[in-house]
Structure formats: C-alpha cells, structure tokens
Amino acid sequence: MNRFWKSAAVSAVLFGLASGSSAYAQDIVGLITKTEGNPFFVKMREGAQVKAEELGLDLRTYAGDFDGDNESQIAAIESLIAVGAKGFAIVPSDSSAIVPTIQQARDAGLLVIVLDTPLDPMDAADATFATDNRQAGRLIGQWAAGTLGDEAANAKIGFLDLATNQPTVDYLRDQGFMEGFGIDVKDPNRYGDEDDPRICGHEVTGGAEEGGVTAMETLLQRCPDINVVYAINEPAAAGGYQALQSAGKDDVLIVAVDGGCPGVQNVKEGIIGATSQQYPLDMASLAMEAIAKFAADGTKPEVDPELGFYDTGARLVTDAPVEGVESIDTTEGAELCWG
C-alpha cells in the first residue's frame, strides 16, 4: 500500500468516527516472498493482490533482499503480528530457521500458509500450498534419461542448485531429478552425498542468472565433459547456458523447473530441453481465500493427507516428447505461463 493510499484510508476512518457512523476495517493479511524481482514471486504477488481486492482484504506484501534473507522475513512476520493481521502466506527463505517465528505467529492467532517451499518440518505451518517439487524434478529427470536413451548410463551431470542451506524446494527438486534419471539418492533430505560417478558436482546459484553463469563455470573447470545440466529454475538455467556457450559447448542437455514465460520461450528456442511448469498465481489466490475463510469463521484449509500439502500441480513442457513421460508443448505452455 502506498503512502497516499494509507493517508486516504486513515482520513476515511477518522471521517467515519467524526460523523458518528461505523467504519469498516478490512482484515489485514500478508504475503512474504523470498525476493522482490523474481518473475515467479512477481506473479505470486499479482495473484494475491487481485484475490485480496476481490475478497475485501487489506494485503501487506514483503520480500527479502536476496534468496536466503531470513532476517527480513522474521521482521515481516513480527510486523504482521504487531498490526493484528488475520494471517499470511510465506515463501520461506530458510525452511528451518523461520520455524520459531512462524510458531510465534500461530501462537498469536494468525493463520500461516506456506507457499512453494515447505517448512522443515512441514506441519510447522497451518497448511502448505505448493508444487509437488519432488515430482516436478522427477519429470525432468525422466525426460532427460529418456532423451539420452542408452547414453544416460554415460552421462556427466552438473547440478545448478539454489543455496548452501538447501531449503526444501532445493533438495526436493534436485533429488526428484536424480530419482527420475535413475540415480541412487542417499539422505532423502540432503543432496551432495551421492556416489554415482555420473555426477560432476553441485554448485549454488541463488536462483539467479548471474549465479548460474558462475556455478556453471566452476562445474566446467571440474568436469569439462558435462553433457547434462539440472537447474533449480529457469534463470539459473539461462545463466548456465551462457557459460556453456562461452566455453564452446552447444550440445548440452539442460532441464529446469518453473514454467515462466521466458523459460517456456527458452524451451521453444532449444536453450532448455524441458521444464516443469508450476503455477504461482494459483498458490497465492488459494492462500488469500483460505485466510479470508479463517477470518470469517475460524476454518482452516485441508491438505492432501498423503502428501501433507495441497498440490497446485506441475506439467512438463517440451517440444521433444519422450514416450511414457506426459508432457505439453510450448504452445500450450505459453498459454499457461507467467512472468
């Protein structure tokens, strides 16, 4: 909410009190994302704003300065508690470190819905609305293995991961890819302990294009014969592609997760072979509806009892389908994309 609108809202309340009539105070809700500029979070914020306006909610939005900025998210939650918010949706930067502050909010009576990146433990929130990130990873892993065929046994794979603290979304996508590709996953909640000789290494990107460039350059120094690249998201994949092009390598298979419009375009142009598309607008809209329902009658949202969260879906987008791996092409992907 900008300064003018805040002033206008205050004036309206004061006028209502002065005239002796009752003034309606909108329920305050929050949306806390990892960063401000990532197209995924931009679309999430747009979805929340549209739905909040439709439901008559006063939406306050917050974002960290960088992916992993836990302190900013703590401050945002404390602010929402202080103003008496009914609840908020959050994409946690640190799945574990934010949990005590989440508990403070719940103890204060706020409904907490996690989006995209589950907490560790997941039930530390009232509900989670997210892509099944492990399944999204499996889809691109299965597609990559199917595309390579027999040569999958000789692959040299570089991983462009998210962050050193390995939030849930990071290891779920990474390990989902490995499962889909046929790599033995060791610790199901961490990556980096695998002993498969096809793995060249894991490097973090911060989910950003420039991070993808640097991480890919490091991986190439270690393993110049890389021929498969897994990326946590499409910006990291684009950065990896730049580094590969600079190194004169134009025959590397790249896969990613997100499904934003720039990423779908990169699939169409052959920069990315396939991506798993997720739906941030749906996540945010559903969260606003759930908080409004909770504010009205105290009802909390239900989730899939087997998954432990509400799955907002994922589709594989590629123009080179593989038998046995369900997918849509870039034309349909472009109709569903965001950003």
Side-chain angles (χ1 to χ4, degrees):
M1 179 179 291
N2 63 36
R3 186 177 302 168
F4 172 79
W5 180 247
K6 284 182 180 177
S7 299
V10 170
S11 297
V13 171
L14 292 176
F15 177 78
L17 292 174
S19 64
S21 62
S22 62
Y24 171 70
Q26 291 180 309
D27 288 328
I28 297 172
V29 300
L31 174 69
I32 307 168
T33 56
K34 292 181 181 180
T35 59
E36 187 76 26
N38 186 310
F40 183 84
F41 302 131
V42 170
K43 181 55 63 175
M44 187 175 281
R45 189 165 60 249
E46 289 175 0
Q49 288 169 335
V50 169
K51 183 57 67 172
E53 183 175 347
E54 175 187 320
L55 296 171
L57 301 172
D58 178 0
L59 177 65
R60 313 286 176 89
T61 62
Y62 308 82
D65 293 328
F66 55 88
D67 202 316
D69 184 4
N70 188 59
E71 293 305 313
S72 290
Q73 294 198 323
I74 289 174
I77 294 171
E78 291 174 343
S79 176
L80 288 165
I81 295 172
V83 298
K86 296 297 184 180
F88 60 88
I90 181 171
V91 187
S93 278
D94 191 310
S95 308
S96 301
I98 198 67
V99 168
T101 312
I102 294 284
Q103 188 59 52
Q104 290 176 26
R106 296 179 70 189
D107 290 344
L110 282 73
L111 183 76
V112 180
I113 297 179
V114 166
L115 306 181
D116 181 57
T117 304
L119 293 178
D120 186 10
M122 188 184 298
D123 62 5
D126 290 294
T128 300
F129 297 163
T131 305
D132 185 341
N133 281 297
R134 196 177 289 274
Q135 175 60 14
R138 285 194 196 101
L139 287 171
I140 55 176
Q142 291 167 350
W143 180 87
T147 298
L148 290 175
D150 292 341
E151 285 304 306
N154 304 313
K156 295 295 181 182
I157 310 168
F159 288 78
L160 301 179
D161 291 305
L162 182 58
T164 54
N165 65 337
Q166 296 190 26
T168 50
V169 67
D170 199 5
Y171 70 72
L172 288 170
R173 292 181 185 181
D174 179 302
Q175 292 189 329
F177 168 86
M178 287 192 279
E179 291 173 3
F181 199 86
I183 294 171
D184 182 25
V185 172
K186 302 300 183 183
D187 184 339
N189 299 317
R190 302 285 294 177
Y191 57 74
D193 60 351
E194 312 86 24
D195 56 11
D196 194 303
R198 293 175 291 181
I199 296 177
C200 291
H202 301 263
E203 293 293 331
V204 300
T205 66
E209 189 167 325
E210 58 271 25
V213 172
T214 303
M216 192 72 251
E217 290 172 345
T218 301
L219 287 168
L220 285 170
Q221 291 173 8
R222 185 183 311 151
C223 191
D225 56 346
I226 282 177
N227 63 355
V228 177
V229 171
Y230 154 87
I232 178 70
N233 62 11
E234 292 152 1
Y241 176 79
Q242 290 179 39
L244 289 166
Q245 290 294 294
S246 296
K249 296 182 67 65
D250 56 6
D251 58 349
V252 178
L253 195 64
I254 301 175
V255 294
V257 178
D258 258 357
C261 296
V264 172
Q265 183 62 30
N266 280 348
V267 174
K268 184 174 183 178
E269 295 176 4
I271 294 170
I272 299 173
T275 192
S276 284
Q277 187 172 64
Q278 51 181 349
Y279 304 101
L281 190 150
D282 291 348
M283 294 179 199
S285 296
L286 287 167
M288 294 300 106
E289 290 177 351
I291 297 171
K293 178 69 172 172
F294 174 76
D297 59 18
T299 301
K300 294 185 177 182
E302 296 182 1
V303 297
D304 186 311
E306 292 186 10
L307 292 173
F309 64 93
Y310 182 89
D311 182 7
T312 53
R315 294 181 178 90
L316 184 74
V317 180
T318 183
D319 286 331
V322 166
E323 185 176 355
V325 185
E326 187 175 351
S327 64
I328 60 176
D329 62 21
T330 55
T331 299
E332 187 172 353
E335 295 173 354
L336 299 171
C337 70
W338 40 268

